[in-house]
Amino acid sequence: MLDTLYLDDWLAVVDKPAGLMVHDSKLARGETDFAADRLREQFGKPVFLVHRLDRATSGCLLLAFDCDTASALGKTLMSREVEKDYLAICRGWPEQDFVVDHPLDGGPGKPAKKPALTRFVRLATAELDLPSAGFDTSRYALLRASPETGRFRQIRRHLKHVSHHLIGDTSHGDGRHNRAFRMRGVHRMLLHAQRLAFLHPVSGARIIATAPNDAQFDRALALLGISDQ
């Protein structure tokens, strides 16, 4: 059962664990366990996923219980009226505030590039005694990432574009740093959908859902000696 962060008759926000695929797709490669199936059983009725999270990403997942609500929420997402805040741990020390405005394709089989923009805020920095790239130490940073568009693996690919690779990202990250964290007991990609805020399509109320870090993400923060507070 997935933890419920918000629930009413029309919609829900749940906390998806890292490693669980949201739904069946070409990327499933024989996987049979999907969040969508779990949620249909958990709530005992049809569910309509309003957005997606990568398999390796944890945190807030928004869903609706009927087509009309799903459509209204989808339009809200397209209009960028939904606030989506992620926690990410990357290599290096980027600027305090920065924006990556870099078009991205839609993933396998979708070569057309579309506008993609992510805003980043550096929340904390750390330096570990890990030799890397000719240096005696390695630098890392905790970021808040707020994507204004929803392209395929957007945050991960935008961080790669600016050479501040996401830790634990085996597709777009830096293998040396990924291995360093795995050797210290961190075995997940360090991207967490921490917060969703939006206007309820029926009541008009402002809904804010926050997902706590899992033990692995907290282990990474403890390793770095930093806090997300």
Side-chain angles (χ1 to χ4, degrees):
M1 181 175 291
L2 276 65
D3 290 341
T4 302
L5 305 173
Y6 175 84
L7 174 65
D8 61 28
D9 291 339
W10 298 277
L11 60 90
V13 182
V14 299
D15 187 1
K16 187 193 83 68
L20 177 64
M21 293 200 73
V22 171
H23 63 101
D24 197 359
S25 72
K26 293 180 180 179
L27 300 175
R29 299 174 183 172
E31 182 62 63
T32 58
D33 184 18
F34 304 102
D37 295 335
R38 290 195 194 184
L39 292 167
R40 278 190 286 270
E41 182 176 353
Q42 179 173 330
F43 293 115
K45 53 186 172 182
V47 298
F48 301 82
L49 298 171
V50 178
H51 71 131
R52 306 288 189 265
L53 291 178
D54 294 341
R55 178 177 187 165
T57 304
S58 59
C60 295
L61 181 68
L62 176 62
L63 57 102
F65 296 126
D66 63 83
C67 291
D68 291 341
T69 302
S71 177
L73 287 170
K75 291 176 182 177
T76 301
L77 273 173
M78 292 293 289
S79 67
R80 303 184 184 183
E81 293 177 356
V82 174
E83 298 174 19
K84 298 178 289 182
D85 293 328
Y86 292 70
L87 291 180
I89 295 177
C90 72
R91 61 171 291 274
W93 289 358
E95 297 176 32
Q96 185 69 49
D97 299 271
F98 62 104
V99 175
V100 180
D101 187 355
H102 176 68
L104 297 170
D105 61 37
K110 300 178 181 179
K113 291 190 175 183
K114 296 182 179 180
L117 187 146
T118 311
R119 301 185 184 279
F120 293 92
V121 176
R122 194 186 73 208
L123 302 176
T125 58
E127 191 165 5
L128 299 182
D129 292 329
L130 301 173
S132 176
F135 296 96
D136 294 333
T137 61
S138 295
R139 290 180 169 185
Y140 301 98
L142 174 66
L143 308 176
R144 180 172 66 242
S146 303
E148 292 197 358
T149 48
R151 308 303 176 208
F152 180 71
R153 297 178 177 175
Q154 177 171 318
I155 295 172
R156 301 161 62 177
R157 296 163 77 191
H158 273 174
L159 286 173
K160 178 183 179 181
H161 180 68
V162 294
S163 297
H164 288 292
H165 304 79
L166 182 70
I167 301 302
D169 184 351
T170 57
S171 299
H172 311 285
D174 185 313
R176 297 167 298 174
H177 294 282
N178 292 348
R179 285 190 295 274
F181 274 73
R182 284 198 300 270
M183 290 179 66
R184 287 157 179 80
V186 179
H187 299 279
R188 61 155 293 182
M189 187 176 75
L190 296 177
L191 182 62
H192 175 61
Q194 183 189 45
R195 177 180 175 273
L196 271 180
F198 57 94
L199 294 181
H200 196 289
V202 178
S203 69
R206 181 170 170 79
I207 307 300
I208 301 176
T210 304
N213 302 336
D214 66 10
Q216 282 277 297
F217 205 103
D218 279 338
R219 184 183 182 95
L221 291 175
L223 173 65
L224 297 172
I226 59 180
S227 170
D228 63 341
Q229 301 303 316

